[in-house]
Amino acid sequence: MPDLSPRGLTRLAFGGDYNPEQWPESVWQEDVRLMNEAGVTMVSVGIFSWALLEPAPGEYDFGWLDRVLGLLHDHGIRVDLGTPTVVPPVWFYRAHPEALPVTAEGMRYEFGSRGAICHSNADYRAAAAAVTTQLAERYGDHPALAMWHVHNEYGVPVSACYCDSCAAHFRRWLADTYGTVDAVNEAWGTAFWGQRYSGFEQINPPRATPTAGNPGQALDYRRFADATVRENFRAERDILHRLSPGVPVTTNFMTALSQCDSMDYWAWGREVDLVTNDHYLITDGRRTHVNLAMAADLTRSVAGGAPWLLLEHSTSGVNWQPRNPAKAPGEMARNSLAHVARGSEGAMFFQWRQSRRGAEKFHSAMLPHGGTDTRVWREVVELGSAVDALSAVRGTRTEADVAMLWDWQSWWAQNLAWRPSEDHDPRERADSFYEALYDRHLTVDFAHPEADLSAYPLVVVPALYLMTEAAGNNLREYAENGGTLLVSYFSGIVDEHDAVHEGACPGVLRDVLGLTVEEFSPLLKDERVHLAAADGSALTGDVWSEFVVPRGAETVWTYADGLTAGRPAVTRHRTGRGTAWYVSTRLDAQGLDAVLARAAGDAGIAPRADLPRDVEVVRRGGPSGTYLFVINHTAGDTKVPLETPGTELLTGERAAGRLAVPAGAVRVVRLDG
């Protein structure tokens, strides 16, 4: 395998977005001096600078960027160089107003923000290719260049345009995908409501309609929009590969389910040389460190288990949520090192110096408005030392215990109009199942439903409404070959075109689960159902219930009340050498843990009763050794048992027996042997 890590970077990446164009050149010398003081090893440059680099069509000004890159190189700081194609200049939009995207309701956006792009627009594509070519020709072999950073956060804030150019492009995409319009009619079920097409020229994007539109059309348009954006990434990537060979090319993902739902990151992960991600805490009352761990695990999984890089997060509060609290002392370090524990090759921030103007002037930064006499700056310097002390983990891989299946295309389909209950939220189920696994101290790999699952003793399926026949066969073979499967309700229902699988639900999961579902019975708002088992254990569910008919499965918990009283609620099916569990209601946290405990027992996964709640223990291993990360998110000191002694890298102390981890602290032990 070729080395796809940032070129010339021999330590973990530490730094952030650097936007020197916001400041007079007299500040730049201070910037690089303070970067060295903080231990910065790499910065991202030029992401939003198209208007400065090309102030008029075909007229380029690289002088300021030459000076910035030279200054950074002189101070030993590597550069992640952006192509600025997320922000075309105003002159471009005035010449090509049709490059501004149009909503499904027919409103065209105006210039003045970022990411307002019709990705089907030929003029945009040509202009983006031109500026990318100029950058690659000038800086492709620059000694400071570590990697290329294409665009910025594709899919945010605009993922799809509905203009006439997109309509024509969509028709071409359909023709390439299906071959004939009859195949489109079949896939979309256009016989319903008399929607049949006799030619591709009759098909438009799924624009605003009086009531629910065709779900197959809407699902395909999401696929088309994602594929179109990816085409533009590939166009820039290929220019950079050709003119700057040997330098990895990336774009920053937003894999957290709380932050982007429009990109199919399984597909995107195959296109970049190095997977990178941006992650920001969502302060919605949830345990934010659990969401962080989930996003990091998901990013690592998109990278195929290989090391990846956290390209943006925040030193403290952000500015775009309804309420933006500051991070507590030590939280920045815990956030950063939790990403490293779960596979990141460093910790980068948005941004280096806090902006005085613009929409993000209240977004925290490495160097705050208050300068170096601030808590944030002192924590940044301390974190820089910690990240440097962990450089030996570069190239190692995080070790997972279980797998969770996730598919962005299933999420898209699930969220289309007119489903049995608006209260069923696939993201909520994924969050809840992940949190239950997290609280059992299990490290999670995410996997595509058609991926090889043979390495995992337990596979969890929290929400897979859309499941192909191949995916169903994959899960059946996994269980028959000895795996343990845990499936939540409303999974396996439709195929890739949003057509219900033939026969009884749950479609392609009928055989592996050993049951059928006669009817869904969603619950009303605030309605509850109670579940009882022969051993006297009781569970509570809400949102959903089903009329389940066992066809080989045994009933473990039964509905005790409600419309489905007396029917199976949670089942267990022995199939081949394995076991498949099914949960037909939305269990609360206690109930989910009870079922998970039984499934984990079938999988041979022992409980970790020796670890307190909210203390993460994660392992990375590779040729350089095995590293145990322990992150204490609690307000109390704790001790974690060590099966193998070693050296704690942040303090340099020997560790054996029980590792002491102070409240809010992180410890990383390089295990002996």
Side-chain angles (χ1 to χ4, degrees), residues 51-68:
L52 294 178
L53 293 170
E54 190 179 4
E59 298 179 11
Y60 296 95
D61 178 7
F62 294 110
W64 68 274
L65 188 54
D66 289 347
R67 296 191 294 277
V68 168

Side-chain angles (χ1 to χ4, degrees), residues 546-594:
E546 293 177 344
F547 290 88
V548 174
V549 179
R551 302 190 186 278
E554 62 177 295
T555 299
V556 183
W557 275 275
T558 302
Y559 287 110
D561 53 20
L563 196 61
T564 53
R567 297 274 190 151
V570 178
T571 63
R572 176 177 181 265
H573 183 222
R574 293 304 303 267
T575 177
R577 301 196 308 275
T579 307
W581 288 77
Y582 184 62
V583 181
S584 66
T585 185
R586 190 178 82 164
L587 296 175
D588 59 18
Q590 181 180 357
L592 194 55
D593 182 68

